[in-house]
Amino acid sequence: MIFEIAIVEDQATASETLTDHLDTWAKERGHQISCHVYSSGEKLFATEDIIKKADIFFLDIRLSLEDDPAIMNGIQIAQNLRNKGFDGEIIFLTAFTEYVFQGYEVRAFHYLLKPVSFEPLMRCMDALTKDHSNQCYIFNDYKTTLQIPYNEIICFTSLKHSVDILTTKDIFKQRSTLNTIAGYLPDCFIRCHRSNIVNMKHIYKIEGTTISLSNHLTLQIGRSYLNDVRKAFMAFAVRMR
């Protein structure tokens, strides 16, 4: 696979170590990568073409100048990326575990504790490539067949004899059942109700029995699904190694 990677890290030694680890991982796994390093969010957004072509962003959460209110921290950079339409993967770099839960809003793929060592990074990148190796859901309504990227699917909702596929761009109606569809979905999808399957990448938060999604839609978790959903979401959202 080929990945364009952007790194926002203001410590030169840390960014050099990360790029070296990424190069080693890519060579061992037979992938191709191109890394672009920026020392601040301001420098990143001054060259916005990278937002269009990057697949992965590594963002240091606590940049050394963040005490200056004019300097963006990693969370703010991620928010700006999402606001500008970036739908790829965001991986945070942090020395402080309390920042983990702030990543829900921006759908962070992973957190790596600094200083980043090779083994945790390898596991993170292996998990990412596994997610990307089968990237699309095949939609077929007997007239049209198309590929819908899994990252764009927010949820599946059962309506009598059909299923609505709600994506970030459109809604597709397919004559099928949730049980049938569930058998084709990757691990980022979880059944939360007899009528709904959600993409955990689009969960903003879970509060009580209510799921808040990235498009501001809320869904109720069925009582019999509650424990499984909470456990699955925590395992998915807090991918600490």
Side-chain angles (χ1 to χ4, degrees):
M1 299 181 71
I2 302 173
F3 293 106
E4 290 279 348
I5 298 173
I7 299 168
V8 181
E9 167 61 75
D10 60 347
Q11 297 178 359
T13 55
S15 60
E16 289 171 5
T17 298
L18 180 58
T19 54
D20 287 346
H21 287 338
L22 286 168
D23 284 340
T24 300
W25 168 82
K27 290 175 182 177
E28 288 187 1
R29 295 293 192 260
H31 301 300
Q32 297 180 38
I33 63 169
S34 179
C35 291
H36 311 266
V37 179
Y38 305 87
S39 59
S40 69
E42 287 69 24
K43 291 184 178 179
L44 168 70
F45 291 114
T47 55
E48 291 196 11
D49 61 311
I50 189 63
I51 301 174
K52 297 178 182 179
K53 66 180 183 179
D55 304 295
I56 308 165
F57 277 88
F58 284 86
L59 305 177
D60 184 12
I61 290 184
R62 293 189 67 177
L63 298 168
S64 61
L65 297 176
E66 70 172 5
D67 289 337
D68 182 344
I71 301 297
M72 287 183 285
N73 62 32
I75 297 291
Q76 292 168 324
I77 294 169
Q79 290 169 338
N80 282 347
L81 287 172
R82 293 303 190 205
N83 289 339
K84 290 178 180 294
F86 177 69
D87 198 36
E89 306 295 0
I90 292 174
I91 298 170
F92 284 124
L93 310 172
T94 179
F96 304 93
T97 56
E98 65 265 24
Y99 286 99
V100 167
F101 295 96
Q102 295 186 35
Y104 290 165
E105 181 180 352
V106 293
R107 308 192 306 280
F109 177 82
H110 207 309
Y111 290 79
L112 291 171
L113 289 177
K114 297 176 66 176
V116 177
S117 57
F118 180 69
E119 290 296 325
L121 176 66
M122 181 182 69
R123 290 193 294 268
C124 170
M125 293 302 293
D126 285 348
L128 187 150
T129 53
K130 181 180 178 182
D131 275 10
H132 282 253
S133 63
N134 187 12
Q135 300 182 53
C136 295
Y137 176 80
I138 306 301
F139 169 82
N140 190 332
D141 67 355
Y142 302 108
K143 295 181 181 179
T144 304
T145 300
L146 58 89
Q147 297 184 88
I148 306 174
Y150 284 124
N151 280 344
E152 294 180 7
I153 299 175
I154 298 172
C155 65
F156 296 85
T157 299
S158 177
L159 298 169
K160 294 184 178 179
H161 302 296
S162 65
V163 173
D164 278 357
I165 306 170
L166 179 61
T167 77
T168 56
K169 299 176 181 178
D170 209 341
I171 298 176
F172 302 91
K173 188 178 291 291
Q174 185 169 18
R175 194 166 182 82
S176 186
T177 67
L178 286 185
N179 287 338
T180 298
I181 289 173
Y184 297 98
L185 300 177
D187 293 342
C188 59
F189 289 87
I190 183 76
R191 186 82 169 255
C192 66
H193 190 277
R194 64 181 182 180
S195 299
N196 295 300
I197 296 174
V198 298
N199 186 347
M200 289 187 285
K201 292 184 177 182
H202 286 277
I203 293 179
Y204 166 58
K205 68 177 177 180
I206 295 176
E207 189 170 19
T209 60
T210 301
I211 292 175
S212 297
L213 296 169
S214 61
N215 64 343
H216 306 296
L217 176 70
T218 59
L219 296 175
Q220 291 302 305
I221 305 172
R223 186 173 301 176
S224 62
Y225 297 92
L226 186 58
N227 286 337
D228 288 343
V229 169
R230 285 176 172 169
K231 290 178 182 178
F233 183 54
M234 288 300 296
F236 179 82
V238 190
R239 297 187 183 195
M240 301 300 293
R241 297 293 193 271

